[in-house]
Amino acid sequence: MNSNTYTPFRVVIVGGGVAGLEAALALRELAGERVVTTVLARATEFVYRPTRVREPFGHSTARRYPLDEICRDIGADLASDAFKWLDPDRGTVHTEAGARLEYDALLLAPGATLKPRFRHALTLDDSQIDEQLHGLIQDVEGGYVHKLAFISPTPMAWPLPLHELALMTARRAYDMNVDLSVTLATPEDAPLALFGAEASRAVARLLEETGILFVPSAHCETPEPGRVSIAPGSRNLVVDRIVALPQLVGPSVPGVPTDARDGFIPVDLHCRVPRLDRVFAAGDATDFAVKHGGIAAQQADTAAEAIAALAGVPIEPTPFNPTIYGALIGGPRPLYLSAHVTGGHGSGSEVSEASTSSPPAKIAAKYLAPYLEARDRAAIR
């Protein structure tokens, strides 16, 4: 290759979350100096969101990593700005500040938007979950709350945090010798059914041992404060407080055609966006039904392989073939769950008290997990 005529392949990544950073790390590994990567992100930090559920119970806050340091580590440029619209014909991303970023390949990973679904419920927002639930946990400890419902909208967002919050709240009440009835109602036909039958049975046993009533196939409404109506069957719960997952909606990216419901970005098996040349998407913004950090990372790896091939790397891109990993906290010990995703349920279901991923992490990501572990070790030293 003649260095005098070589022009690096320009990749723009929209989003500084799991999918965006995993893709940047994957491209560094796969393509090296063949690509020049720019990460466009409004946020200044990457926050390890899955551990935020522990914060209302007095645990340390979720780990935070400055995005500028991460990008510097991996040789990517950080554009601290927000996406505004896409001009696919000119291969250009326009930002809110008026900048134009030209690309040879684009990865869209802006995440989904959280939207309250229930009028008479506390809708969780993990960016402020400690502030949201601190008072509720204090009321539980003080014996002011005796009946509590955790519910999910239909369709359902990632259900694992709701199970964790129910478990941790029930255990806190037990530890404080407080009489608390906890009900968990979700559209799943079994607890964490996505992980398959074996894992779901283990979670069901844990919920039962903790005294939590699980209501399956529950399509909930909150017609008035303190009341949850559940279809089918016209069942009603009368409780003191209601905690709900948010509804997730797509980012509705200007310039990106979408036929998907609620503004999610359609992708094919290589995470390409149909009808757009050299445009890919990964993470919660896509129309893949499961919204989870580990899935976002796998989509990012899939897209990164396809982008590396476009940049001239001699690689045969592999199609997206998702395996879902989860670490359920809230019981006596974490439960590590995994399954291959094949629709509404997982196949090859596995459950263990030892981690199924290396390094052990709430987000199983091929490149991001070891990178963050190395940063944490360096910080301790």
Side-chain angles (χ1 to χ4, degrees), residues 44-67:
T44 59
E45 295 178 313
F46 171 75
V47 183
Y48 202 80
R49 293 170 56 187
T51 58
R52 280 177 161 168
V53 294
R54 297 165 54 94
E55 293 178 3
F57 301 89
H59 294 271
S60 57
T61 58
R63 299 192 303 270
R64 296 171 178 269
Y65 307 87
L67 274 181

Side-chain angles (χ1 to χ4, degrees), residues 12 51 174 203 222 239 308 336 358:
V12 173
T51 58
Y174 178 82
V203 176
T222 56
V239 296
Y336 295 95
S358 181

